[in-house]
Amino acid sequence: MTAYVGYEPEERVTVIVDDPVSTPGGSAWPGPVVLLHPTPPEPSSVIGTYRGWGELVTVHEMAHVAHIARPSRNPRLRWLVRLVQIPIVIPYPRWALEGYATLIEGRLTGGGRPHGVWRPAVLRTWALEGALPDYGELDGLEGFMGGHMAYLAGSAYLEWLVDRSGEESLPKVWRRATARRRRSFAEAFAGVLGAPPSELYGEFTVDVTERALAVEDAVQGAGIERGEWIQRLVGWSADPAVSPDGEHLAIVRRPAADEAAEVVVWSTAPDTLAAEEREERERALELDPEDVPAVQWRPRPKEAVARLGPVGGRGHSVPRWLPGGNSLLVVRWEGLGDGRLRPDLFEWRWRDGSLRRVTRGEAVREADPDPDGRTAVGTRCAGGTCDLVRIDLVSGEVALLAAGEVGGPSYHGARVGPGGRIAVSVFEEGAWRLALLHPEGRELRALVPAGAPVRFDAEWAGADAVVAVSEAGGIHDLERIDVATGATRRLTRVVTAALSPAPAPDGGVFFLHLTSRGMDVRRVDGAPLEEGAPAIDPGLVPARPAVPTEAPELSRRELPPARPYRPGWPAPLVLPAGTVGPAGWNGGLTLHGSDPIGRLRWAADAVWGSESAWRGGAAAVAWHGWRPEVTAHAFRARQRPSEQDLDGPPPAGLDVELTGGLLQARLRWAYGASRRSLRAGAAVVRLETPSLVGAARGHGFAEAAGAWLQTIGGWRLVERARLHAALGETDGEGWARGLARIGLEIGRGEYALVVDALYGIADAGPDGFEAFAFGGSAPPHLDSALLSQRLHDPALPAGWGIGTRAASVRLAWRSGFGETYFRWTSAGESIGSWKRAMGSEVSLGSSPVPFLSIPEIDFALGVARLLDPPLDGETRLYGSLRYRP
């Protein structure tokens, strides 16, 4: 790797293998840190061509490290890196980063996207349809497969440049980009390759189009056969399946990348003009005889007879019909409670819409029912292996049929045929093949000879044959395979790609056909074509796959013996913090550290500012290696709201200085569609107020919170609730307090209507210190449980309302630009007089990123107009930036 890139990183690379969502993937981060997901891809995946999944994903991500870890030789940048202790990555465009790592994955493994059939299919299809992205779109994520273009087109473009200028040309670009003299990427690129990247990319697209046209000519020479056009679609389509009686087709639809997948059921009957529609057209012509009726240039859009939308924001996939045709098995990713997601099996009765969960936490990513409908055979993928399993559809019990292993064998696409025989794709010895298995999982024989081109997604077409996708010739096409003899006959001959066959009882085969806007549905009659595969010049890369090359055998070392994980002392990160608003301003620094997987986190805070704002310091240590997680917190804080710049008398009794410690424990559950938490703790504080000097304050608290998401069509409904109770003693006087918050969000896309309400009841405690007080910014260095009577809000001055009863209602309209809100608050001995405020706010929150030592972040920036005294009619800016370890 380092020899090819021309640079060896100086620092140790931390590699974290994690399986959060049971899907393949990886990423590289400054540090350097590499995250690897062990679940292997399916053969139908864009990344489904590999010698070994672990090897491929590691090579790709380590290529990023060797590429972007090369430090700048500019003295100022090197000094800045030493100062902030954060590697400054050269701003390469995304296509150059991902394209280069993809190029290297092909060079060093002999597989990957450069040697797979998907990359040429996409580039060829987009070129023939005039849809290749322009240079400015290469980094984009929009449109069908838009996010893949940085990998596919980017790697092909870099290979094209290497063919023109030699293997050393790209390392020279990286050396110029990191030179002592600062240069942009475009300047570094042009200095080596003789022209800006945008100009040479234009030449590249012309060359790709010429090669794509040559492939099209070769296929036309053999005779194109892509069947009948059933549906023109936009976006992803997947997993078509024909009902047992042939009258319905189930298919997965996801028109946009940011939408959850849904399963729709269509009628397979020809869709013709209804009588009333025909009469309407005739009337229109009578009224305007010179009008020209539209030609039927595409199939009429089918109306769904049933639709299974997302549940809790998560879609469904892999529909498979149960015998009788009244139900389908579908898969949906469900939470395990600890933040991980795993695929589980459900039964959908499509006629009445009912949905029954079959498995729980079993990671079953697909299942095909047996002829009796009582059990199903599927694949279970977790921890880097994909097993073949049998599922009891009544009890949900899962039994192992054939075990997968890291590196192979690995199973995918099990389909149950007559007599219970199983046709399945098996990854073994660096390649996918089709095999026939006994109902108990024992392999009977290979469906095609060893060493034959890759075939996958086999579907039974009667008792003696399967239909599968074949990569023979470098183009995804459908083939019929005789189970007894292994003889293959081609069913399609397309220029783009034919995928996901779905045989019908009448012998026809529905399938997906790749276009630049999505996957269309087509149908062939199932009759084998006359032999005559297109003779495609192997030199037409990237419009056809690169010829397999002899890749170097990467050296392997024995791992040291396994040992328990020890977090060690985490490396720190310095972060700014602070607040500003009607109650004053403060600023501070947070020193935060975390071990790579986030078990041990700590923070030290220093806060200074105006007298009316919170100041002081704190230190906290959180241990997340147990359930519940435990946090210890020591602090010193001071605030004088009496110094606020207000018209009228300042709020009485809110000035405070406190020193002490807090110990708390928290349990959290994350199920994907719901979040729940319980926490409890105790604090001991030395308290000083205008009338309490050196008073001891001790208290305990308990809190329960939850959020629940439901989706109906494209709409979402989110309910939130939080209950907080505190009991304590201050200067020898007992007190108690209770708070309830509820919220409701109704939205679609980036728009939502949000309502939040709060109600609290409390004892005032000595000197009224335990009474509720609205307003003021939350202290950046204190936990909210310490002073739960302070109902912080940076838009309001401290003491906006004070009393033993408190209530507020906030109504907000949220869009992609933030939210606009109206708020009512009331506090006193009873709820009655309401104070009003309105404004606009942008808020951001992020989860912790342990391997970068980044804590949980809360940020808000807004402007508010206060409508009641003491600041009625005034408009104030406010903002806050806080962290939690």
Side-chain angles (χ1 to χ4, degrees):
M1 173 73 69
T2 56
Y4 189 87
V5 178
Y7 175 74
E8 181 173 354
E10 299 173 357
E11 297 177 288
R12 183 183 68 177
V13 180
T14 297
V15 180
I16 302 173
V17 182
D18 194 15
D19 194 20
V21 291
S22 192
T23 56
S27 58
W29 301 80
V33 177
V34 166
L35 298 182
L36 304 177
H37 294 182
T39 300
E42 304 167 350
S44 57
S45 169
V46 176
I47 50 176
T49 302
Y50 46 85
R51 189 168 62 180
W53 168 241
E55 177 189 72
L56 182 77
V57 68
T58 304
V59 165
H60 184 99
E61 302 308 336
M62 291 297 289
H64 281 313
V65 172
H67 183 195
I68 66 180
R70 184 194 299 264
S72 171
R73 299 186 297 283
N74 180 276
R76 292 183 180 179
L77 284 180
R78 294 178 74 91
W79 176 85
L80 185 59
V81 168
R82 287 194 296 268
L83 177 66
V84 301
Q85 295 298 304
I86 302 175
I88 296 177
V89 177
I90 302 301
Y92 298 115
R94 179 171 173 263
W95 72 263
L97 290 172
E98 298 297 355
Y100 190 51
T102 303
L103 179 150
I104 292 174
E105 82 184 32
R107 292 286 203 269
L108 296 190
T109 73
R113 280 157 282 211
H115 296 283
V117 178
W118 260 106
R119 188 183 77 168
V122 170
L123 296 180
R124 184 173 64 246
T125 302
W126 269 244
L128 293 174
E129 297 181 8
L132 281 173
D134 61 33
Y135 183 76
E137 296 172 330
L138 266 182
D139 289 350
L141 302 172
E142 300 297 321
F144 176 55
M145 295 202 73
H148 291 275
M149 284 300 174
Y151 301 83
L152 305 180
S155 62
Y157 178 32
L158 291 175
E159 289 173 6
W160 182 81
L161 293 169
V162 167
D163 288 343
R164 286 169 47 114
S165 305
E167 292 283 351
E168 284 299 314
S169 59
L170 296 182
K172 288 179 180 178
V173 173
W174 318 139
R175 284 163 49 195
R176 278 180 56 83
T178 55
R180 181 182 182 90
R181 176 182 175 183
R182 296 189 64 180
R183 300 184 179 97
S184 68
F185 170 73
E187 290 174 322
F189 184 102
V192 174
L193 297 165
S198 57
E199 292 184 12
L200 289 181
Y201 178 76
E203 296 180 24
F204 163 75
T205 59
V206 172
D207 189 54
V208 171
T209 303
E210 289 178 352
R211 294 170 188 241
L213 288 168
V215 173
E216 184 180 47
D217 288 344
V219 178
Q220 283 180 334
I224 291 177
E225 177 52 62
R226 55 189 180 189
E228 177 189 1
W229 198 9
I230 302 299
Q231 279 292 277
R232 180 184 191 269
L233 300 172
V234 173
W236 274 106
S237 305
D239 310 321
V242 182
S243 62
D245 59 9
E247 294 183 0
H248 294 94
L249 176 75
I251 189 170
V252 177
R253 294 283 298 119
R254 194 180 68 183
D258 59 351
E259 296 182 14
E262 64 176 5
V263 177
V264 298
V265 176
W266 292 328
S267 169
T268 57
D271 199 359
T272 58
L273 280 176
E276 53 270 21
E277 292 176 294
R278 191 177 298 105
E279 291 174 1
E280 177 63 28
R281 293 183 63 173
E282 292 173 354
R283 283 195 300 270
L285 282 175
E286 289 176 2
L287 294 173
D288 186 2
E290 294 189 24
D291 192 10
V292 179
V295 297
Q296 191 65 41
W297 61 276
R298 62 176 180 178
R300 287 167 50 78
K302 288 183 176 292
E303 293 292 332
V305 298
R307 188 184 306 271
L308 177 59
V311 173
R314 297 181 308 282
H316 300 84
S317 59
V318 203
R320 303 298 302 170
W321 292 90
L322 283 158
N326 295 316
S327 299
L328 295 104
L329 295 179
V330 295
V331 172
R332 184 175 79 229
W333 262 249
E334 286 291 304
L336 299 181
D338 57 4
R340 291 178 297 163
L341 294 176
R342 291 290 181 266
D344 267 319
L345 200 60
F346 292 77
E347 180 186 357
W348 175 40
R349 294 184 175 274
W350 64 277
R351 296 186 189 277
D352 61 19
S354 62
L355 195 63
R356 180 182 67 89
R357 188 168 184 172
V358 178
T359 62
R360 292 186 177 275
E362 293 289 351
V364 176
R365 64 191 310 169
E366 59 181 355
D368 193 53
D370 286 314
D372 61 11
R374 292 193 295 268
T375 62
V377 174
T379 51
R380 174 180 61 190
C381 295
T385 64
C386 288
D387 304 327
L388 187 71
V389 295
R390 185 177 298 279
I391 306 104
D392 187 306
L393 298 181
V394 177
S395 68
E397 293 182 358
V398 177
L400 180 68
L401 293 180
E405 298 177 10
V406 175
S410 185
Y411 298 91
H412 164 72
R415 296 295 182 260
V416 183
R421 293 175 301 172
I422 305 165
V424 66
S425 297
V426 184
F427 181 83
E428 208 165 26
E429 298 180 354
W432 287 98
R433 62 185 180 85
L434 284 178
L436 186 68
L437 275 62
H438 185 272
E440 298 305 318
R442 183 178 69 256
E443 183 163 333
L444 298 175
R445 63 178 181 278
L447 281 175
V448 291
V454 170
R455 293 172 173 86
F456 57 89
D457 284 357
E459 298 280 351
W460 287 92
D464 55 0
V466 295
V467 176
V469 178
S470 170
E471 294 184 354
I475 296 177
H476 290 117
D477 265 310
L478 303 188
E479 287 183 345
R480 182 183 177 92
I481 303 172
D482 186 278
V483 172
T485 65
T488 63
R489 294 293 300 275
R490 187 183 295 265
L491 299 182
T492 64
R493 195 179 290 117
V494 301
V495 179
T496 62
L499 300 156
S500 302
D506 64 0
V509 180
F510 292 86
F511 66 96
L512 299 179
H513 182 250
L514 179 67
T515 76
S516 63
R517 64 187 143 64
M519 299 284 235
D520 286 352
V521 179
R522 287 184 172 269
R523 184 184 186 278
V524 290
D525 60 14
L529 302 178
E530 302 238 348
E531 290 305 323
I536 301 175
D537 183 350
L540 293 176
V541 180
R544 63 149 295 148
V547 175
T549 57
E550 188 69 28
E553 188 66 32
L554 302 183
S555 61
R556 299 175 183 270
R557 299 182 189 175
E558 289 295 323
L559 290 174
R563 61 176 175 81
Y565 176 76
R566 294 191 293 269
W569 193 245
L573 183 67
V574 179
L575 300 166
T579 66
V580 63
W585 68 271
N586 59 30
L589 292 175
T590 294
L591 188 65
H592 182 269
S594 174
D595 68 300
I597 65 173
R599 286 189 177 177
L600 177 65
R601 305 177 198 167
W602 63 270
D605 302 275
V607 183
W608 60 90
S610 62
E611 283 286 325
S612 58
W614 286 101
R615 295 170 293 160
V621 177
W623 176 249
H624 296 266
W626 299 333
R627 286 181 64 84
E629 58 203 52
V630 178
T631 302
H633 192 183
F635 51 86
R636 181 178 178 84
R638 178 182 178 183
Q639 184 193 33
R640 296 187 180 277
S642 61
E643 301 293 331
Q644 292 179 105
D645 181 16
L646 300 176
D647 294 330
L654 296 185
D655 291 2
V656 63
E657 185 172 326
L658 60 161
T659 305
L662 166 70
L663 182 66
Q664 65 172 313
R666 179 166 59 174
L667 278 169
R668 290 189 283 188
W669 298 268
Y671 289 101
S674 67
R675 300 282 191 275
R676 307 169 203 169
S677 68
L678 292 173
R679 69 169 177 154
V684 177
V685 175
R686 183 180 182 274
L687 184 67
E688 297 204 15
T689 71
S691 59
L692 296 173
V693 179
R697 179 182 187 257
H699 87 283
F701 69 91
E703 185 175 274
W708 299 266
L709 167 68
Q710 291 86 40
T711 53
I712 305 172
W715 293 86
R716 67 179 178 278
L717 178 66
V718 183
E719 305 97 2
R720 299 182 181 90
R722 185 180 298 272
L723 299 174
H724 177 93
L727 184 68
E729 184 178 275
T730 300
D731 200 26
E733 183 176 335
W735 52 266
R737 177 169 51 252
L739 273 168
R741 298 174 184 262
I742 59 172
L744 181 66
E745 175 183 330
I746 302 173
R748 186 182 182 95
E750 62 182 9
Y751 300 100
L753 180 66
V754 184
V755 181
D756 291 292
L758 171 149
Y759 182 79
I761 183 169
D763 294 335
D767 195 36
F769 180 75
E770 303 300 339
F772 293 112
F774 277 109
S777 297
H781 58 305
L782 295 186
D783 190 282
S784 61
L786 284 167
L787 297 171
S788 58
Q789 76 273 34
R790 298 292 180 93
L791 305 175
H792 296 110
D793 189 323
L796 308 176
W800 183 247
I802 300 174
T804 57
R805 303 289 187 274
S808 71
V809 178
R810 187 176 187 272
L811 180 65
W813 172 252
R814 184 178 299 160
S815 67
F817 302 100
E819 61 182 29
T820 301
Y821 63 84
F822 202 98
R823 178 189 289 111
W824 297 262
T825 59
S826 177
E829 296 306 310
S830 62
I831 302 301
S833 177
W834 295 85
K835 290 187 176 181
R836 300 159 298 154
M838 61 184 297
S840 294
E841 178 178 290
V842 175
S843 61
L844 299 172
S846 70
S847 299
V849 185
F851 54 84
L852 297 181
S853 281
I854 296 176
E856 186 175 341
I857 300 174
D858 286 328
F859 169 78
L861 181 64
V863 58
R865 185 173 181 84
L866 308 181
L867 306 179
D868 292 290
L871 298 177
D872 52 309
E874 293 195 21
T875 300
R876 297 290 184 98
L877 294 173
Y878 64 90
S880 65
L881 177 59
R882 302 178 66 231
Y883 309 98
R884 285 194 287 270

